[in-house]
Amino acid sequence: MKKVMIALLSLAVVFSFAACSNENDTAVSGGLADSVYSESTVVRVAGEKISASDFEFKGLDTFKNPVALNSSDVVLVEGNTVVDSITAATTETEKAGTQTISVKTAWGATGTVTVTVLPVTKFEVSGTNAVKEYKAVVGDAATVAKEFKKIDPAGMTFKATYIDEDGNTQTKEVSPDLVKLELSQWTAGNDVKVKASYAGKDEDEAWSVKVVENKVVSLEAEVAAGYELIADNTSTLDTDKFVVYGTYENGQRAKVDAAVLKYSTATEGAAADKAYDVATSIKFASTVTEGAKTVYVEYQGSLAADGNRYTNADVQVKKDYLKGLNVAVAAYTLAADYNFAPTEQDGDGYPTDKITVKAVYAGKTAPITLTAVDEWTISPLSKDGLKTGDQVAFTITPVEGEGKRGAGLAPVTFQLEVGKETTATFGEKDNTI
């Protein structure tokens, strides 16, 4: 009996220790955090930045037991994106607000923290030593990178008046990094007012600056891969494929409008001594020797001090050559019992009055109309079991062999619908002069 009593007493002691352990909420679990929170009191003036390092994070496991947590494992989340910092939101005037921020860990633990945000009642800009001149941007200002539209806050002071937690009015200097500065326009011209914004407060005319012309420092010509200038006496330089880029005083690199450029193929003399003309003057006769030809460029616009208005690039010049087939179908209705096979009686069964095949040149030389059967064939010649509405895929194939004018060109495949009148063009563009 004594042994039984001792055993029962031992079990009671074990259970009492277990109960104490469960009730002790200061014990730290050895598992991973399932949720994150913070007891830190963080106060920010509206417009200031909030970062993860502002908080002392704690964790709970799935049983709500405290978990050891390294604060460096916790990041801020805005929407579904991890961010380095979040801006303290604008609050109701003269009343502190509470901002809730989402946080998470790399292993998926989540939570929220709160920040007390003090309201800004006034934003002021002062100073007389601001940078007063900026270079106009090249192209559409709305699409130009922000780095070329930066306003330098040097020489200016920014101050915010806010209400502290005790309801008292306070003033503090605002870091320029927290102020948004912008211009209403970036084209060269008259003075422009700088707009300064902070915590929902705007100074539309913080100070004036002058936007001046952004001049070219250097040029660079780029030729599209595979571009050929055809020597056919009429084809001219394609400025969408022979493109000139300018590097400007503000560091921006942008395409230069061909209207302010002139070109030359003169091989003698320095760049400045050549005779330049518009792009349409750059063309080659069919007698020219094929190969790389240098096209020189002169910029006609304003140049920066010590800038260079000249550049050049090589263009591959090639005599005109057959490039592909052009198949034109004119008001043709495909019958269900069509038969294109030539017969001994009428020789040519092809609908040549409705289907025309031409070999098209790469340049502006007039296309060649090919002769059916002798220079092109069509397949299938016939097909059984067709009904109105059926689609039939036809292939026009140039005849190979010496003297065949379409030899070497790729076939063209197209579709016709039984019973439907069709007028359409397939294959290479017919570039008849």
Side-chain angles (χ1 to χ4, degrees):
M1 183 68 180
K2 185 177 180 180
K3 290 183 179 180
V4 172
M5 292 297 293
I6 292 173
L8 291 173
L9 181 61
S10 298
L11 285 172
V13 170
V14 169
F15 281 118
S16 67
F17 273 118
C20 289
S21 177
N22 286 336
E23 291 173 1
N24 182 6
D25 60 5
T26 61
V28 178
S29 167
L32 288 175
D34 182 65
S35 62
V36 182
Y37 70 101
S38 175
E39 296 174 346
S40 304
T41 301
V42 176
V43 180
R44 288 288 178 271
V45 174
E48 291 184 329
K49 295 295 184 181
I50 305 163
S51 62
S53 61
D54 295 329
F55 302 91
E56 181 181 339
F57 292 105
K58 295 183 178 182
L60 297 174
D61 65 15
T62 54
F63 302 105
K64 304 305 179 184
N65 293 317
V67 178
L69 181 67
N70 189 335
S71 289
S72 63
D73 290 331
V74 185
V75 294
L76 305 185
V77 181
E78 194 166 34
N80 294 317
T81 305
V82 173
V83 293
D84 293 330
S85 64
I86 291 175
T87 301
T90 302
T91 66
E92 184 182 343
T93 303
E94 299 184 2
K95 183 178 179 181
T98 299
Q99 184 172 350
T100 301
I101 297 173
S102 297
V103 297
K104 73 174 185 179
T105 67
W107 59 86
T110 60
T112 59
V113 293
T114 58
V115 177
T116 299
V117 182
L118 305 178
V120 170
T121 58
K122 188 177 181 180
F123 172 55
E124 299 174 279
V125 181
S126 62
T128 58
N129 297 319
V131 176
K132 295 294 181 69
E133 187 175 283
Y134 289 88
K135 302 296 183 183
V137 299
V138 182
D140 180 5
T143 61
V144 171
K146 291 181 179 179
E147 64 182 294
F148 302 114
K149 298 182 290 186
K150 287 184 178 179
I151 303 298
D152 189 345
M156 303 304 291
T157 300
F158 308 96
K159 290 184 179 180
T161 300
Y162 66 97
I163 308 299
D164 68 16
E165 292 179 281
D166 298 322
N168 299 317
T169 299
Q170 306 286 352
T171 300
K172 66 173 293 182
E173 189 167 321
V174 177
S175 168
D177 294 338
L178 302 178
V179 179
K180 181 181 179 181
L181 302 174
E182 56 187 336
L183 294 183
S184 60
Q185 59 95 358
W186 279 92
T187 54
N190 299 326
D191 291 354
V192 183
K193 300 291 185 180
V194 175
K195 179 179 179 180
S197 304
Y198 175 76
K201 302 291 187 294
D202 299 329
E203 283 290 329
D204 292 330
E205 298 183 354
W207 71 91
S208 293
V209 301
K210 184 178 288 294
V211 179
V212 300
E213 184 180 7
N214 193 8
K215 298 179 181 180
V216 164
V217 175
S218 62
L219 300 174
E220 183 181 10
E222 292 186 4
V223 182
Y227 173 54
E228 297 171 337
L229 181 50
I230 302 300
D232 60 359
N233 302 297
T234 57
S235 295
T236 59
L237 187 68
D238 186 343
T239 54
D240 287 329
K241 296 180 178 179
F242 184 99
V243 181
V244 176
Y245 292 91
T247 298
Y248 292 79
E249 291 175 296
N250 67 342
Q252 190 180 351
R253 184 178 187 268
K255 180 180 177 180
V256 179
D257 189 338
V260 292
L261 299 172
K262 287 193 174 181
Y263 308 81
S264 175
T265 55
T267 57
E268 300 297 326
D273 298 330
K274 298 181 187 298
Y276 292 88
D277 205 340
V278 295
T280 53
S281 69
I282 304 300
K283 54 188 174 182
F284 295 89
S286 58
T287 55
V288 74
T289 303
E290 294 183 319
K293 308 294 181 183
T294 302
V295 176
Y296 299 88
V297 183
E298 180 184 60
Y299 175 61
Q300 304 294 303
S302 299
L303 197 67
D306 300 323
N308 183 4
R309 69 173 70 252
Y310 300 101
T311 189
N312 64 77
D314 287 349
V315 173
Q316 291 298 320
V317 175
K318 190 170 183 179
K319 293 181 180 180
D320 210 356
Y321 61 94
L322 290 174
K323 184 181 181 182
L325 295 180
N326 171 277
V327 179
V329 179
Y332 179 59
T333 302
L334 181 68
D337 59 350
Y338 82 91
N339 187 341
F340 295 160
T343 64
E344 292 184 3
Q345 286 75 21
D346 46 30
D348 185 7
Y350 293 8
T352 52
D353 58 330
K354 300 294 185 180
I355 298 179
T356 304
V357 179
K358 297 179 181 180
V360 180
Y361 283 89
K364 293 185 178 180
T365 303
I368 302 169
T369 300
L370 302 182
T371 303
V373 182
D374 184 52
E375 293 181 309
W376 63 269
T377 60
I378 188 170
S379 62
L381 292 173
S382 62
K383 195 170 184 179
D384 295 330
L386 293 175
K387 295 181 179 180
T388 298
D390 287 351
Q391 298 279 340
V392 181
F394 292 99
T395 298
I396 301 292
T397 304
V399 175
E400 299 296 322
E402 186 176 352
K404 304 300 184 182
R405 294 177 297 174
L409 299 181
V412 170
T413 297
F414 59 95
Q415 285 190 340
L416 296 179
E417 182 177 325
V418 175
K420 179 181 178 181
E421 184 176 277
T422 302
T423 296
T425 300
F426 308 95
E428 292 289 339
K429 179 181 178 183
D430 182 341
N431 54 354
T432 305
I433 297 174

